[in-house]
Amino acid sequence: MAPPTAAPGDRGPREVADRLAIYELYARYAQAADLADGAAYADCFTEDGWTDISSFGHTAESFRGRGLDVLDETGKVRGRARLRTIATKAPGAPHYHHLTVNAVVTSYEGDRATGSAYFVVLAPDGRVHQFGRYEDVIVRDTDGQWRFAERRDLAAFNSGTTLPRG
């Protein structure tokens, strides 16, 4: 069970500002992914941050087969350089639209928070391409910006396939 969270009226100005910055981080992440802006996408993470995309069925081997050496053997993309690579699309690649909804800060303690949100990814033709949930560890980085330190993509649906819950 999550630790008790202060009611909105009981939060101080710093916590309110931090929570707003965290919600904006969720939006910046989705926009960077939509724009295939690898630098902005990578900047949503700490220098050693990672995202786990294994729930989509991706493997290091399948990515290497596409010429991308970005996934480790556990299905994680680690570090800004690899995160930048995974988010940068080749010219002419289809553009998807990422919707992040029902984002909530599940715990907050000064410079560290956890969060959760649902995601829906729309294909260029408007059909649902993917959906699932993010589970995140978010930290105030050395420059004062909030960034993802750990992100787990828990996919429930991927291109017409309902995925097993992990």
Side-chain angles (χ1 to χ4, degrees):
M1 179 174 219
T5 302
D10 295 336
R11 295 179 182 145
R14 180 174 177 138
E15 182 177 350
V16 171
D18 286 344
R19 285 174 178 267
L20 179 58
I22 290 167
Y23 294 131
E24 287 180 350
L25 172 63
Y26 278 98
R28 283 196 326 273
Y29 172 90
Q31 289 183 358
D34 287 352
L35 297 171
D37 185 339
Y41 179 90
D43 191 53
C44 291
F45 291 85
T46 60
E47 187 65 40
D48 61 349
W50 54 262
T51 186
D52 181 341
I53 60 173
S54 63
S55 69
F56 290 102
H58 300 308
T59 65
E61 184 178 320
S62 70
F63 266 67
R64 280 193 296 271
R66 299 185 336 207
L68 294 171
D69 186 20
V70 294
L71 256 62
D72 69 15
E73 296 306 321
T74 68
K76 292 181 178 88
V77 181
R78 295 179 186 270
R80 283 194 184 143
R82 288 186 169 149
L83 289 159
R84 185 178 305 107
T85 298
I86 201 167
T88 304
K89 304 285 187 269
H95 285 274
Y96 293 89
H97 300 281
H98 295 69
L99 306 175
T100 305
V101 297
N102 298 340
V104 63
V105 174
T106 54
S107 73
Y108 169 86
E109 294 182 31
D111 292 339
R112 183 178 177 86
T114 59
S116 179
Y118 291 101
F119 65 84
V120 178
V121 181
L122 301 175
D125 64 4
R127 287 188 278 182
V128 172
H129 176 63
Q130 299 169 331
F131 66 80
R133 189 177 79 249
Y134 297 125
E135 293 291 336
D136 302 304
V137 174
I138 308 150
V139 299
R140 187 187 325 270
D141 213 345
T142 56
D143 64 356
Q145 295 296 310
W146 285 92
R147 291 189 172 89
F148 298 116
E150 302 173 10
R151 168 158 268 203
R152 287 177 180 79
D153 290 37
L154 303 172
F157 178 84
N158 186 23
S159 298
T161 302
T162 301
L163 301 169
R165 295 188 64 130

